[in-house]
Coordinates of all heavy atoms in Angstrom, one line a residue:
M20 N 0.8 -1.2 0.0 CA 0.0 0.0 0.0 C 0.9 1.3 0.0 O 1.9 1.3 0.6 CB -0.9 0.0 1.2 CG -2.1 0.8 1.1 SD -3.3 0.5 2.4 CE -3.2 2.1 3.2
N21 N 0.4 2.3 -0.7 CA 1.2 3.5 -0.8 C 1.1 4.3 0.4 O 0.0 4.5 1.0 CB 0.8 4.3 -2.0 CG 1.4 3.7 -3.3 OD1 2.4 3.1 -3.3 ND2 0.7 4.0 -4.4
N22 N 2.2 4.8 0.8 CA 2.3 5.8 2.0 C 2.5 7.2 1.4 O 3.6 7.5 1.1 CB 3.4 5.3 2.9 CG 3.6 6.2 4.1 OD1 2.7 7.0 4.4 ND2 4.7 6.1 4.7
W23 N 1.4 7.9 1.2 CA 1.5 9.2 0.4 C 2.1 10.3 1.4 O 1.6 10.4 2.5 CB 0.2 9.6 -0.1 CG -0.3 8.7 -1.2 CD1 -1.3 7.8 -1.1 CD2 0.1 8.7 -2.5 NE1 -1.5 7.2 -2.3 CE2 -0.6 7.7 -3.2 CE3 1.1 9.4 -3.3 CZ2 -0.5 7.4 -4.6 CZ3 1.2 9.1 -4.6 CH2 0.5 8.2 -5.2
K24 N 3.1 11.0 0.9 CA 3.7 12.1 1.6 C 3.5 13.4 0.9 O 3.9 13.4 -0.3 CB 5.2 11.8 1.8 CG 6.0 12.8 2.6 CD 7.4 12.3 2.7 CE 8.4 13.4 3.0 NZ 8.2 14.1 4.2
R25 N 2.8 14.4 1.5 CA 2.7 15.6 0.8 C 4.0 16.3 0.7 O 4.8 16.4 1.7 CB 1.7 16.5 1.6 CG 1.4 17.8 0.8 CD 0.6 18.8 1.7 NE 0.6 20.1 1.0 CZ 1.5 21.0 1.0 NH1 2.7 20.8 1.7 NH2 1.4 22.1 0.3
I26 N 4.4 16.8 -0.5 CA 5.7 17.4 -0.7 C 5.6 18.9 -0.8 O 6.3 19.6 -0.1 CB 6.3 16.9 -2.0 CG1 6.4 15.4 -2.0 CG2 7.7 17.5 -2.3 CD1 7.3 14.8 -0.9
C27 N 4.7 19.5 -1.6 CA 4.6 20.9 -1.8 C 3.4 21.2 -2.7 O 2.8 20.3 -3.1 CB 5.9 21.4 -2.4 SG 6.2 20.7 -4.1
V28 N 3.2 22.5 -2.9 CA 2.2 22.8 -3.9 C 2.9 22.8 -5.3 O 4.1 23.0 -5.4 CB 1.5 24.2 -3.7 CG1 0.7 24.2 -2.4 CG2 2.5 25.3 -3.7
L29 N 2.1 22.5 -6.3 CA 2.7 22.3 -7.7 C 3.6 23.5 -8.1 O 4.7 23.4 -8.6 CB 1.6 22.1 -8.7 CG 2.1 22.0 -10.1 CD1 2.9 20.8 -10.3 CD2 0.9 22.0 -11.1
T30 N 3.1 24.7 -7.7 CA 3.8 25.9 -8.2 C 5.1 26.2 -7.5 O 5.9 27.0 -7.9 CB 2.9 27.2 -8.0 OG1 2.5 27.2 -6.6 CG2 1.7 27.2 -8.9
E31 N 5.5 25.3 -6.5 CA 6.8 25.4 -5.9 C 7.8 24.7 -6.7 O 9.0 24.7 -6.3 CB 6.7 24.9 -4.4 CG 6.0 25.9 -3.5 CD 5.8 25.4 -2.1 OE1 5.4 24.2 -1.9 OE2 6.1 26.2 -1.2
I32 N 7.4 23.9 -7.7 CA 8.3 23.3 -8.6 C 8.4 24.1 -9.8 O 7.3 24.3 -10.4 CB 7.9 21.8 -8.9 CG1 7.7 21.0 -7.6 CG2 8.9 21.1 -9.8 CD1 7.1 19.6 -7.8
P33 N 9.5 24.5 -10.3 CA 9.6 25.3 -11.5 C 9.2 24.5 -12.7 O 9.5 23.3 -12.8 CB 11.1 25.7 -11.6 CG 11.8 24.8 -10.7 CD 10.8 24.3 -9.7
Q34 N 8.4 25.1 -13.6 CA 8.0 24.4 -14.9 C 9.3 24.0 -15.6 O 10.2 24.8 -15.7 CB 7.1 25.2 -15.7 CG 5.7 24.7 -15.8 CD 4.8 25.5 -16.7 OE1 5.1 26.5 -17.1 NE2 3.6 24.9 -16.9
L35 N 9.4 22.8 -16.1 CA 10.6 22.3 -16.9 C 11.8 22.1 -15.9 O 12.9 22.0 -16.4 CB 11.0 23.2 -18.1 CG 9.9 23.5 -19.0 CD1 10.4 24.3 -20.2 CD2 9.2 22.2 -19.6
G36 N 11.5 22.1 -14.6 CA 12.5 21.9 -13.6 C 12.1 20.9 -12.6 O 11.3 20.1 -12.9
S37 N 12.7 21.0 -11.4 CA 12.4 20.0 -10.4 C 12.7 20.5 -9.0 O 13.2 21.6 -8.8 CB 13.3 18.7 -10.7 OG 14.7 19.1 -10.3
R38 N 12.3 19.6 -8.1 CA 12.6 19.9 -6.7 C 13.1 18.6 -6.1 O 12.6 17.5 -6.4 CB 11.3 20.3 -6.0 CG 11.3 20.5 -4.5 CD 10.0 20.9 -4.0 NE 10.0 21.1 -2.6 CZ 9.8 22.3 -2.0 NH1 9.4 23.3 -2.7 NH2 9.9 22.4 -0.7
V39 N 14.1 18.7 -5.2 CA 14.7 17.4 -4.7 C 14.1 17.2 -3.3 O 14.1 18.1 -2.4 CB 16.2 17.5 -4.6 CG1 16.8 16.3 -3.9 CG2 16.8 17.7 -6.0
V40 N 13.7 15.9 -3.0 CA 13.3 15.5 -1.7 C 14.3 14.5 -1.2 O 14.7 13.6 -1.9 CB 11.9 14.8 -1.9 CG1 11.5 14.2 -0.5 CG2 10.9 15.7 -2.4
K41 N 14.8 14.8 0.0 CA 15.8 13.9 0.6 C 15.1 12.8 1.4 O 14.2 13.1 2.2 CB 16.7 14.7 1.5 CG 17.5 15.8 0.7 CD 18.8 16.2 1.3 CE 19.6 17.2 0.5 NZ 20.2 16.6 -0.7
S42 N 15.5 11.6 1.2 CA 14.9 10.5 1.9 C 16.0 9.6 2.4 O 16.9 9.2 1.7 CB 14.0 9.7 0.9 OG 13.9 8.4 1.3
T43 N 16.0 9.3 3.7 CA 17.0 8.5 4.3 C 17.0 7.1 3.7 O 18.0 6.5 3.4 CB 16.9 8.4 5.8 OG1 15.6 8.2 6.1 CG2 17.4 9.7 6.4
E44 N 15.8 6.6 3.4 CA 15.6 5.3 2.9 C 15.9 5.2 1.4 O 16.5 4.2 0.9 CB 14.2 4.8 3.1 CG 14.0 3.3 3.1 CD 12.6 2.9 3.4 OE1 11.9 3.7 4.1 OE2 12.2 1.8 3.0
H45 N 15.5 6.2 0.6 CA 15.6 6.1 -0.9 C 16.6 7.0 -1.5 O 16.7 7.0 -2.7 CB 14.2 6.4 -1.5 CG 13.1 5.5 -1.0 ND1 12.9 4.2 -1.4 CD2 12.1 5.7 0.0 CE1 11.8 3.7 -0.8 NE2 11.4 4.6 0.1
G46 N 17.3 7.8 -0.7 CA 18.3 8.7 -1.3 C 17.5 9.9 -1.8 O 16.4 10.2 -1.5
D47 N 18.2 10.7 -2.6 CA 17.6 11.9 -3.2 C 16.6 11.6 -4.3 O 16.9 10.8 -5.1 CB 18.6 12.9 -3.7 CG 19.4 13.6 -2.6 OD1 19.1 13.3 -1.4 OD2 20.3 14.4 -2.9
I48 N 15.4 12.2 -4.2 CA 14.4 11.9 -5.2 C 14.1 13.3 -5.9 O 13.8 14.3 -5.2 CB 13.1 11.3 -4.6 CG1 13.4 10.0 -3.9 CG2 12.0 11.2 -5.6 CD1 12.3 9.5 -3.0
A49 N 14.2 13.3 -7.2 CA 13.9 14.5 -8.0 C 12.4 14.4 -8.5 O 12.0 13.4 -9.1 CB 14.8 14.6 -9.2
I50 N 11.7 15.5 -8.1 CA 10.3 15.6 -8.6 C 10.2 16.6 -9.7 O 10.6 17.8 -9.5 CB 9.3 15.9 -7.5 CG1 9.5 14.9 -6.4 CG2 7.9 16.0 -8.0 CD1 8.5 15.1 -5.2
F51 N 9.8 16.2 -10.9 CA 9.9 17.0 -12.1 C 8.5 17.6 -12.5 O 7.5 16.9 -12.3 CB 10.4 16.2 -13.3 CG 11.8 15.7 -13.1 CD1 12.0 14.5 -12.6 CD2 12.9 16.5 -13.5 CE1 13.3 14.0 -12.4 CE2 14.2 16.0 -13.3 CZ 14.4 14.7 -12.8
R52 N 8.5 18.8 -13.0 CA 7.2 19.3 -13.5 C 7.3 19.6 -15.0 O 8.3 20.3 -15.4 CB 6.9 20.6 -12.7 CG 5.6 21.4 -13.2 CD 5.5 22.6 -12.4 NE 4.4 23.5 -12.9 CZ 4.2 24.7 -12.5 NH1 5.0 25.2 -11.5 NH2 3.2 25.4 -13.0
T53 N 6.4 19.1 -15.8 CA 6.5 19.3 -17.2 C 5.8 20.6 -17.6 O 5.2 21.3 -16.8 CB 5.8 18.2 -18.0 OG1 4.4 18.3 -17.8 CG2 6.3 16.8 -17.5
A54 N 5.9 21.0 -18.9 CA 5.3 22.2 -19.4 C 3.8 22.1 -19.3 O 3.1 23.2 -19.2 CB 5.7 22.4 -20.9
T55 N 3.2 20.9 -19.3 CA 1.8 20.8 -19.1 C 1.3 20.4 -17.7 O 0.3 19.9 -17.5 CB 1.3 19.7 -20.1 OG1 2.0 18.5 -19.8 CG2 1.5 20.0 -21.5
D56 N 2.3 20.7 -16.8 CA 2.0 20.6 -15.3 C 1.7 19.1 -14.9 O 0.9 18.9 -14.0 CB 0.8 21.5 -14.9 CG 1.2 22.9 -14.8 OD1 2.5 23.2 -14.8 OD2 0.3 23.8 -14.8
E57 N 2.4 18.2 -15.6 CA 2.4 16.8 -15.1 C 3.6 16.7 -14.1 O 4.6 17.4 -14.3 CB 2.5 15.8 -16.2 CG 1.3 15.7 -17.0 CD 1.4 14.5 -18.1 OE1 1.9 14.8 -19.1 OE2 1.0 13.4 -17.8
V58 N 3.5 15.8 -13.2 CA 4.6 15.6 -12.3 C 5.1 14.1 -12.4 O 4.3 13.2 -12.5 CB 4.3 16.0 -10.8 CG1 4.2 17.5 -10.7 CG2 3.1 15.3 -10.3
F59 N 6.5 14.0 -12.3 CA 7.1 12.7 -12.3 C 8.2 12.7 -11.3 O 8.8 13.8 -11.0 CB 7.7 12.3 -13.6 CG 6.6 12.3 -14.7 CD1 6.4 13.4 -15.5 CD2 5.9 11.1 -15.0 CE1 5.4 13.4 -16.5 CE2 5.0 11.0 -16.0 CZ 4.7 12.2 -16.7
A60 N 8.6 11.5 -10.7 CA 9.7 11.4 -9.8 C 10.6 10.3 -10.1 O 10.2 9.2 -10.5 CB 9.1 11.2 -8.4
L61 N 11.9 10.7 -10.0 CA 13.0 9.7 -10.3 C 14.1 9.8 -9.2 O 14.3 10.9 -8.7 CB 13.7 10.0 -11.6 CG 12.9 9.9 -12.9 CD1 13.7 10.3 -14.1 CD2 12.4 8.4 -13.1
H62 N 14.8 8.7 -8.9 CA 16.0 8.8 -8.1 C 16.9 9.8 -8.8 O 17.0 9.8 -10.0 CB 16.6 7.4 -8.1 CG 17.8 7.3 -7.2 ND1 17.9 7.9 -6.0 CD2 19.0 6.7 -7.4 CE1 19.1 7.7 -5.5 NE2 19.8 6.9 -6.3
D63 N 17.5 10.7 -8.0 CA 18.2 11.8 -8.6 C 19.6 11.4 -9.0 O 20.6 12.0 -8.6 CB 18.3 13.0 -7.6 CG 18.8 14.3 -8.2 OD1 18.8 14.3 -9.5 OD2 19.2 15.2 -7.4
Q64 N 19.7 10.3 -9.8 CA 21.0 9.9 -10.3 C 20.9 9.3 -11.7 O 20.1 8.4 -11.9 CB 21.5 8.8 -9.4 CG 22.4 9.3 -8.3 CD 23.1 8.1 -7.5 OE1 23.0 6.9 -7.9 NE2 23.8 8.5 -6.5
C65 N 21.6 9.9 -12.6 CA 21.6 9.4 -13.9 C 22.2 8.0 -14.0 O 23.2 7.7 -13.3 CB 22.5 10.4 -14.8 SG 22.6 9.9 -16.5
P66 N 21.6 7.1 -14.9 CA 22.2 5.8 -14.9 C 23.5 5.7 -15.6 O 24.2 4.7 -15.6 CB 21.1 5.0 -15.8 CG 20.4 6.1 -16.5 CD 20.4 7.3 -15.7
H67 N 24.0 6.8 -16.2 CA 25.3 6.8 -16.8 C 26.4 6.9 -15.8 O 27.0 6.0 -15.4 CB 25.4 8.0 -17.9 CG 26.7 8.1 -18.6 ND1 27.2 9.3 -18.9 CD2 27.5 7.1 -19.0 CE1 28.4 9.1 -19.5 NE2 28.6 7.8 -19.6
K68 N 26.6 8.1 -15.2 CA 27.6 8.3 -14.2 C 27.1 9.1 -13.0 O 27.8 10.0 -12.5 CB 28.9 9.0 -14.8 CG 29.6 8.1 -15.8 CD 30.9 8.6 -16.3 CE 31.6 7.6 -17.2 NZ 32.9 8.1 -17.7
Q69 N 25.9 8.8 -12.7 CA 25.3 9.4 -11.5 C 25.1 10.9 -11.5 O 25.1 11.6 -10.4 CB 26.1 9.0 -10.2 CG 25.9 7.5 -9.8 CD 26.8 6.6 -10.7 OE1 28.0 6.8 -10.8 NE2 26.2 5.6 -11.3
G70 N 25.0 11.5 -12.6 CA 24.8 12.9 -12.7 C 23.4 13.3 -12.0 O 22.5 12.5 -12.0
P71 N 23.3 14.5 -11.5 CA 22.1 14.9 -10.9 C 21.0 15.3 -11.8 O 21.0 16.4 -12.4 CB 22.6 16.2 -10.0 CG 23.7 16.7 -10.9 CD 24.4 15.6 -11.6
L72 N 20.1 14.4 -12.1 CA 19.0 14.7 -13.0 C 18.2 15.9 -12.7 O 17.6 16.5 -13.5 CB 18.1 13.4 -13.2 CG 18.8 12.2 -13.8 CD1 17.9 11.0 -13.7 CD2 19.3 12.5 -15.2
S73 N 18.1 16.2 -11.4 CA 17.3 17.3 -10.9 C 17.8 18.6 -11.5 O 17.1 19.6 -11.5 CB 17.4 17.4 -9.4 OG 18.7 17.5 -8.9
Q74 N 19.1 18.6 -12.0 CA 19.6 19.8 -12.6 C 19.5 19.9 -14.1 O 20.1 20.7 -14.8 CB 21.1 20.0 -12.1 CG 21.2 20.3 -10.6 CD 22.6 20.4 -10.1 OE1 23.5 20.8 -10.8 NE2 22.8 19.9 -8.9
G75 N 18.8 18.9 -14.6 CA 18.7 18.8 -16.0 C 17.5 19.6 -16.5 O 16.7 20.2 -15.7
I76 N 17.3 19.6 -17.8 CA 16.2 20.4 -18.4 C 15.1 19.4 -18.8 O 15.4 18.4 -19.5 CB 16.6 21.2 -19.6 CG1 17.7 22.2 -19.2 CG2 15.4 21.9 -20.3 CD1 17.3 23.3 -18.3
V77 N 13.8 19.7 -18.4 CA 12.7 18.8 -18.8 C 12.2 19.2 -20.2 O 12.1 20.4 -20.5 CB 11.6 18.9 -17.8 CG1 10.3 18.2 -18.3 CG2 12.0 18.4 -16.4
H78 N 11.9 18.2 -21.1 CA 11.3 18.5 -22.4 C 10.4 17.4 -22.7 O 10.8 16.2 -22.6 CB 12.4 18.7 -23.5 CG 13.5 17.6 -23.4 ND1 13.4 16.5 -24.2 CD2 14.6 17.5 -22.6 CE1 14.5 15.7 -23.9 NE2 15.2 16.3 -22.9
G79 N 9.1 17.7 -23.0 CA 8.2 16.7 -23.1 C 8.1 15.9 -21.8 O 8.0 16.5 -20.7
K80 N 8.2 14.6 -21.9 CA 8.2 13.7 -20.7 C 9.6 13.1 -20.6 O 9.7 11.9 -20.2 CB 7.1 12.6 -20.8 CG 5.7 13.2 -20.8 CD 4.7 12.0 -20.7 CE 3.3 12.6 -20.7 NZ 2.3 11.5 -20.7
Q81 N 10.6 13.9 -20.9 CA 12.0 13.4 -20.7 C 12.8 14.5 -20.0 O 12.4 15.7 -20.0 CB 12.7 13.2 -22.0 CG 12.0 12.1 -22.9 CD 12.6 11.9 -24.2 OE1 13.5 12.7 -24.6 NE2 12.2 10.9 -24.9
V82 N 13.9 14.1 -19.4 CA 14.9 15.1 -18.8 C 16.2 14.8 -19.4 O 16.6 13.6 -19.6 CB 14.9 15.1 -17.3 CG1 15.3 13.7 -16.7 CG2 15.8 16.2 -16.7
T83 N 16.9 15.8 -19.8 CA 18.3 15.7 -20.3 C 19.3 15.9 -19.1 O 19.3 16.9 -18.5 CB 18.6 16.7 -21.4 OG1 17.7 16.4 -22.5 CG2 20.0 16.6 -21.9
C84 N 20.1 14.9 -18.9 CA 21.1 14.9 -17.9 C 22.1 16.1 -18.1 O 22.5 16.3 -19.3 CB 21.9 13.6 -17.8 SG 23.2 13.6 -16.5
P85 N 22.4 16.9 -17.1 CA 23.3 18.0 -17.2 C 24.8 17.7 -17.5 O 25.5 18.5 -18.0 CB 23.2 18.8 -15.9 CG 22.8 17.7 -14.9 CD 22.0 16.7 -15.7
L86 N 25.1 16.4 -17.3 CA 26.6 16.1 -17.4 C 27.0 15.7 -18.9 O 27.8 16.3 -19.5 CB 27.0 15.0 -16.5 CG 26.9 15.3 -15.0 CD1 27.7 14.3 -14.2 CD2 27.5 16.7 -14.7
H87 N 26.3 14.7 -19.4 CA 26.7 14.3 -20.8 C 25.5 14.1 -21.7 O 25.5 13.4 -22.7 CB 27.4 12.9 -20.7 CG 28.4 12.9 -19.6 ND1 28.2 12.3 -18.4 CD2 29.7 13.3 -19.5 CE1 29.3 12.4 -17.6 NE2 30.2 13.0 -18.3
S88 N 24.4 14.7 -21.3 CA 23.2 14.9 -22.2 C 22.4 13.6 -22.5 O 21.8 13.6 -23.5 CB 23.6 15.7 -23.4 OG 24.1 16.9 -23.1
W89 N 22.6 12.6 -21.7 CA 21.7 11.4 -21.9 C 20.2 11.9 -21.6 O 20.0 12.8 -20.8 CB 22.0 10.3 -20.9 CG 23.1 9.4 -21.3 CD1 24.2 9.7 -22.0 CD2 23.2 8.0 -20.8 NE1 25.0 8.6 -22.1 CE2 24.5 7.6 -21.4 CE3 22.5 7.2 -20.1 CZ2 24.9 6.3 -21.2 CZ3 22.9 5.9 -19.9 CH2 24.1 5.4 -20.4
K90 N 19.3 11.3 -22.4 CA 17.9 11.7 -22.2 C 17.2 10.5 -21.4 O 17.4 9.3 -21.8 CB 17.2 11.9 -23.5 CG 17.7 13.1 -24.2 CD 17.0 13.3 -25.6 CE 17.5 14.6 -26.2 NZ 19.0 14.7 -26.4
I91 N 16.5 10.9 -20.3 CA 15.9 9.9 -19.5 C 14.4 10.1 -19.5 O 13.9 11.2 -19.4 CB 16.4 10.0 -18.0 CG1 17.9 10.1 -18.0 CG2 15.8 8.9 -17.1 CD1 18.6 8.9 -18.4
E92 N 13.6 9.0 -19.7 CA 12.2 9.0 -19.7 C 11.7 9.2 -18.3 O 12.0 8.5 -17.4 CB 11.6 7.7 -20.2 CG 12.0 7.3 -21.6 CD 11.2 8.0 -22.7 OE1 10.3 8.8 -22.4 OE2 11.3 7.6 -23.9
L93 N 10.8 10.3 -18.1 CA 10.4 10.6 -16.8 C 9.4 9.5 -16.2 O 9.4 9.3 -15.0 CB 9.7 11.9 -16.8 CG 10.6 13.1 -17.0 CD1 9.8 14.4 -17.1 CD2 11.7 13.3 -15.9
E94 N 8.6 8.9 -17.1 CA 7.7 7.9 -16.6 C 8.4 6.6 -16.1 O 8.0 6.0 -15.1 CB 6.6 7.6 -17.7 CG 5.6 8.6 -17.8 CD 4.5 8.3 -18.9 OE1 5.0 8.2 -20.0 OE2 3.4 8.2 -18.5
S95 N 9.3 6.1 -16.9 CA 9.9 4.8 -16.6 C 11.3 4.9 -16.0 O 11.8 3.9 -15.4 CB 10.0 4.0 -18.0 OG 10.9 4.7 -18.8
G96 N 12.0 6.0 -16.2 CA 13.4 6.1 -15.7 C 14.4 5.5 -16.7 O 15.6 5.5 -16.5
N97 N 13.9 5.0 -17.9 CA 14.8 4.4 -18.8 C 15.5 5.5 -19.7 O 14.9 6.5 -20.0 CB 14.0 3.6 -19.8 CG 13.5 2.3 -19.2 OD1 14.2 1.7 -18.3 ND2 12.3 1.9 -19.5
A98 N 16.7 5.2 -20.0 CA 17.5 6.0 -20.9 C 16.9 5.9 -22.3 O 16.5 4.8 -22.7 CB 19.0 5.6 -20.9
V99 N 16.9 6.9 -23.0 CA 16.5 6.9 -24.4 C 17.6 6.3 -25.3 O 18.7 6.7 -25.2 CB 16.0 8.3 -24.9 CG1 15.7 8.3 -26.4 CG2 14.9 8.8 -24.1
A100 N 17.2 5.4 -26.2 CA 18.2 4.7 -27.1 C 18.9 5.8 -27.9 O 18.3 6.8 -28.2 CB 17.5 3.8 -28.0
P101 N 20.2 5.6 -28.2 CA 21.0 4.4 -28.1 C 21.6 4.1 -26.7 O 22.2 3.1 -26.5 CB 22.1 4.6 -29.1 CG 22.4 6.1 -29.1 CD 21.0 6.7 -28.8
D102 N 21.3 5.0 -25.8 CA 21.9 4.8 -24.4 C 21.1 3.7 -23.7 O 19.9 3.6 -23.9 CB 21.9 6.1 -23.7 CG 22.8 7.1 -24.4 OD1 23.9 6.8 -24.8 OD2 22.4 8.3 -24.6
I103 N 21.7 3.1 -22.8 CA 21.1 2.0 -22.1 C 21.3 2.1 -20.6 O 22.4 2.3 -20.1 CB 21.6 0.6 -22.5 CG1 21.3 0.4 -24.0 CG2 21.0 -0.5 -21.7 CD1 22.0 -0.9 -24.6
G104 N 20.2 2.1 -19.8 CA 20.3 2.2 -18.4 C 18.9 2.6 -17.8 O 18.0 2.9 -18.6
C105 N 18.8 2.5 -16.5 CA 17.5 2.9 -15.9 C 17.7 3.5 -14.5 O 18.6 3.0 -13.8 CB 16.6 1.6 -15.8 SG 15.0 2.0 -15.2
T106 N 16.9 4.5 -14.3 CA 16.9 5.2 -13.0 C 15.6 4.8 -12.3 O 14.6 4.8 -13.0 CB 17.0 6.7 -13.1 OG1 18.3 7.0 -13.6 CG2 16.8 7.4 -11.8
K107 N 15.6 4.6 -11.0 CA 14.4 4.1 -10.3 C 13.3 5.2 -10.4 O 13.5 6.3 -9.9 CB 14.7 3.8 -8.9 CG 13.5 3.3 -8.1 CD 14.0 2.9 -6.7 CE 12.8 2.7 -5.7 NZ 11.8 1.7 -6.1
P108 N 12.1 4.9 -10.9 CA 11.0 5.9 -10.8 C 10.2 5.7 -9.5 O 10.2 4.7 -8.9 CB 10.1 5.5 -12.0 CG 10.4 4.0 -12.2 CD 11.8 3.7 -11.6
F109 N 9.6 6.8 -9.1 CA 8.7 6.8 -7.9 C 7.3 7.3 -8.3 O 7.2 8.0 -9.4 CB 9.3 7.7 -6.8 CG 10.5 7.2 -6.2 CD1 11.8 7.5 -6.8 CD2 10.5 6.4 -5.1 CE1 13.0 7.0 -6.2 CE2 11.7 5.9 -4.5 CZ 12.9 6.2 -5.1
T110 N 6.3 6.9 -7.6 CA 5.0 7.3 -7.9 C 4.6 8.6 -7.3 O 4.8 8.8 -6.1 CB 4.0 6.2 -7.4 OG1 4.4 5.0 -8.0 CG2 2.6 6.5 -7.9
V111 N 4.1 9.5 -8.1 CA 3.7 10.8 -7.6 C 2.2 11.1 -8.0 O 1.8 10.5 -9.1 CB 4.6 12.0 -8.0 CG1 5.8 12.2 -7.2 CG2 5.0 11.9 -9.5
K112 N 1.5 12.0 -7.4 CA 0.2 12.4 -7.8 C 0.0 13.8 -7.5 O 0.6 14.4 -6.5 CB -0.9 11.5 -7.2 CG -1.1 11.7 -5.7 CD -2.2 10.8 -5.2 CE -2.4 11.0 -3.7 NZ -3.5 10.2 -3.1
L113 N -0.9 14.4 -8.2 CA -1.4 15.8 -8.0 C -2.8 15.7 -7.4 O -3.7 15.0 -8.0 CB -1.4 16.5 -9.3 CG -0.3 17.4 -9.7 CD1 -0.5 18.1 -11.0 CD2 0.0 18.5 -8.6
E114 N -3.0 16.4 -6.3 CA -4.4 16.4 -5.7 C -4.6 17.8 -5.1 O -3.9 18.2 -4.2 CB -4.4 15.3 -4.6 CG -5.8 14.7 -4.4 CD -5.8 13.5 -3.5 OE1 -5.9 13.7 -2.3 OE2 -5.6 12.4 -4.0
G115 N -5.6 18.4 -5.7 CA -6.0 19.8 -5.2 C -4.8 20.7 -5.3 O -4.7 21.6 -4.4
G116 N -4.0 20.6 -6.3 CA -2.9 21.5 -6.5 C -1.6 21.1 -5.6 O -0.6 21.8 -5.7
D117 N -1.7 20.1 -4.8 CA -0.6 19.6 -4.0 C 0.1 18.4 -4.7 O -0.6 17.6 -5.3 CB -1.0 19.3 -2.6 CG -1.4 20.5 -1.8 OD1 -1.1 21.6 -2.2 OD2 -2.0 20.3 -0.7
V118 N 1.3 18.3 -4.5 CA 2.1 17.2 -5.0 C 2.3 16.2 -3.9 O 2.8 16.5 -2.8 CB 3.5 17.6 -5.6 CG1 4.3 16.4 -6.1 CG2 3.3 18.6 -6.7
F119 N 2.0 14.9 -4.2 CA 2.2 13.8 -3.2 C 3.2 12.8 -3.8 O 3.1 12.5 -4.9 CB 0.9 13.1 -2.8 CG 0.0 14.0 -2.0 CD1 -0.8 15.0 -2.7 CD2 -0.1 13.9 -0.6 CE1 -1.7 15.8 -2.0 CE2 -1.0 14.8 0.1 CZ -1.8 15.7 -0.6
L120 N 4.0 12.3 -2.9 CA 5.0 11.2 -3.3 C 4.7 10.0 -2.6 O 4.4 10.0 -1.3 CB 6.4 11.7 -3.0 CG 7.6 10.8 -3.2 CD1 7.8 10.5 -4.7 CD2 8.8 11.4 -2.6
A121 N 4.6 8.8 -3.3 CA 4.4 7.6 -2.6 C 5.7 6.9 -2.2 O 6.5 6.7 -3.0 CB 3.6 6.6 -3.6
L122 N 5.8 6.7 -0.9 CA 7.0 6.0 -0.4 C 6.5 4.7 0.2 O 5.8 4.7 1.2 CB 7.7 6.8 0.6 CG 8.3 8.1 0.1 CD1 8.9 9.0 1.2 CD2 9.4 7.8 -0.9
T123 N 6.8 3.6 -0.4 CA 6.3 2.3 0.0 C 7.2 1.6 1.0 O 8.4 1.9 1.0 CB 6.1 1.3 -1.2 OG1 7.2 1.3 -2.0 CG2 4.9 1.7 -2.0
Ligands
FES21 S1 26.0 11.3 -15.9 FE1 24.2 11.6 -17.0 S2 24.8 11.6 -19.1 FE2 26.6 11.1 -18.0

């Protein structure tokens, strides 16, 4: 069962940017906001060389890593081909303008 944790209001996350949530159990989690106000959450580590995805730029439903420009799918955490790798995704939801993160 999901243990929902309220993180912030949506507007506290910059559009096309992110906000980092520190978790002792899961490490840093980056919560991204797209241009259309969807939210996604990934472990804040690129599958290439652990670059901070939270400092990348969101485009569509992907984020480009700031270090070597791998593109990571926000929904799955998978690197976009030809690159191969995966970052752990987390479940988030928007409710009444607030962002909630599921920590199981
Ligand atoms: S660390 Fe992300 S592309 Fe290299």
Side-chain angles (χ1 to χ4, degrees):
M20 202 168 114
N21 283 334
N22 178 16
W23 292 104
K24 178 178 161 60
R25 183 190 172 281
I26 303 300
C27 61
V28 295
L29 176 65
T30 51
E31 288 176 313
I32 305 174
Q34 248 182 352
L35 306 183
S37 73
R38 179 183 180 114
V39 175
V40 175
K41 297 201 177 290
S42 154
T43 45
E44 198 177 340
H45 303 281
D47 287 359
I48 298 170
I50 302 182
F51 299 92
R52 177 181 171 192
T53 69
T55 54
D56 286 343
E57 287 186 276
V58 287
F59 297 95
L61 296 175
H62 183 41
D63 190 18
Q64 267 190 3
C65 180
H67 180 217
K68 292 190 176 174
Q69 290 78 51
L72 295 175
S73 57
Q74 292 175 36
I76 300 291
V77 172
H78 45 96
K80 291 185 184 182
Q81 298 177 352
V82 61
T83 296
C84 179
L86 294 195
H87 316 96
S88 302
W89 278 28
K90 293 178 178 55
I91 310 298
E92 300 277 5
L93 293 175
E94 282 179 299
S95 64
N97 288 324
V99 174
D102 299 314
I103 297 172
C105 185
T106 294
K107 180 178 168 56
F109 292 86
T110 304
V111 276
K112 69 175 179 181
L113 262 178
E114 210 171 87
D117 288 344
V118 178
F119 291 83
L120 175 66
L122 296 173
T123 47

